[in-house]
Amino acid sequence: MKLFVDTGDVSEVRQAAEWGILDGVTTNPTLIAKSGRGFKETVTEICRLVPGGAISAEVVATDYDDMLREALEISGWHEQIVVKVPLIEPGVRLVSELARRGIRTNVTLVFSVSQALLAAKAGATYISNFVGRVDDMSDDGMDAVADTVAMVANYGFKSEVLVASIRHPLHVVQAVNAGAHVSTMPFKIMQMLFKHPLTEIGLKRFLDDWNGAGLSIFEKQPATL
Ligand code: E4P
């Protein structure tokens, strides 16, 4: 499964990229606004930090002509950019047109299988299925993920199912179990994926034993005169 970080903060992208496990970055208008920097400078810097990664940048217009203008502008900034498009009527039309032009898309704010079907038929590269916002309403956001993964497989759609609005590591595990293609998550959740108390306890014991025995990996060099 691909791992994306969901952020507009370039320092978080830099840290996640250093781990060597990052496949891409998702941004949204809220995250870009929070970054306090310009849209173009932020996403182009993110592209440089994640060579070859898929970097999602979202249109903000809601009528077709303006959405198309914005999409063509954004996609021209860098070859790694994936145009993020909300699942509304002109958005689905835009995804069809961008697919025809060979421009990759990430359809966002998808909550149901019926919405995902429209995105898949339009030729979306990624379908962003939000889970946390559904859980927040006392429902199970993962239900739609599992059904969408099955729908994409059953009908042979090319779209990848991207689990978004992730709130905790269990969402990532559930995304794996559902066979989702991608998970995008805040940087702090990605950091939490490393954590297990037995890893920390185990490492402490190994190092205490090693150091107690006075061992060293490197042989001591004879002092040069
Ligand atoms: C995905 O691309 C979205 O940017 C994101 O996952 C939304 O998450 P939220 O519900 O925590 O805002």
Side-chain angles (χ1 to χ4, degrees):
M1 186 173 67
K2 294 176 189 166
L3 294 181
F4 292 0
V5 65
D6 191 34
T7 185
D9 182 336
V10 293
S11 70
E12 291 184 345
V13 174
R14 188 176 296 110
Q15 289 177 71
E18 281 173 358
W19 295 330
I21 48 83
L22 191 64
D23 301 295
V25 179
T26 48
T27 66
N28 65 38
T30 303
L31 294 170
I32 295 294
K34 212 168 106 185
S35 78
R37 297 179 57 193
F39 188 19
K40 183 177 179 180
E41 61 168 314
T42 302
V43 294
T44 52
E45 186 172 348
I46 289 173
C47 288
R48 284 194 294 274
L49 290 170
V50 192
I55 313 302
S56 290
E58 188 163 343
V59 297
V60 291
T62 52
D63 70 279
Y64 178 75
D65 289 341
D66 289 334
M67 289 172 95
L68 177 59
R69 246 192 311 277
E70 290 180 356
L72 296 179
E73 166 69 20
I74 291 169
S75 66
W77 291 343
H78 199 285
E79 63 189 10
Q80 288 170 230
I81 288 180
V82 177
V83 179
K84 210 169 171 192
V85 180
L87 193 292
I88 54 177
E89 288 183 23
V92 170
R93 179 179 168 198
L94 179 66
V95 170
S96 305
E97 175 59 20
L98 295 179
R100 199 184 62 75
R101 295 180 188 223
I103 296 173
R104 294 182 300 162
T105 54
N106 175 356
V107 178
T108 189
L109 293 168
V110 173
F111 295 90
S112 69
V113 183
S114 52
Q115 290 179 313
L117 175 63
L118 299 174
K121 286 187 69 71
T125 314
Y126 301 102
I127 302 172
S128 279
N129 207 309
F130 281 44
V131 294
R133 295 187 192 192
V134 177
D135 290 5
D136 291 346
M137 298 174 69
S138 310
D139 222 329
D140 188 349
M142 277 294 165
D143 288 349
V145 171
D147 291 346
T148 299
V149 169
M151 182 264 291
V152 164
N154 286 344
Y155 292 96
F157 288 120
K158 299 272 190 297
S159 307
E160 295 188 27
V161 180
L162 188 161
V163 180
S165 188
I166 280 178
R167 299 271 194 267
H168 45 68
L170 183 57
H171 275 152
V172 181
V173 174
Q174 291 168 329
V176 169
N177 291 339
H181 305 86
V182 191
S183 281
T184 191
M185 68 204 78
F187 180 67
K188 68 171 189 303
I189 306 295
M190 201 170 264
Q191 285 179 307
M192 289 167 77
L193 299 183
F194 287 88
K195 302 288 180 198
H196 196 291
L198 291 180
T199 303
E200 279 156 37
I201 292 167
L203 182 60
K204 183 175 181 321
R205 189 181 303 162
F206 285 156
L207 297 185
D208 286 350
D209 291 347
W210 176 269
N211 292 328
L215 292 161
S216 170
I217 288 176
F218 303 103
E219 289 179 14
K220 287 197 175 60
Q221 298 296 318
T224 47
L225 298 174

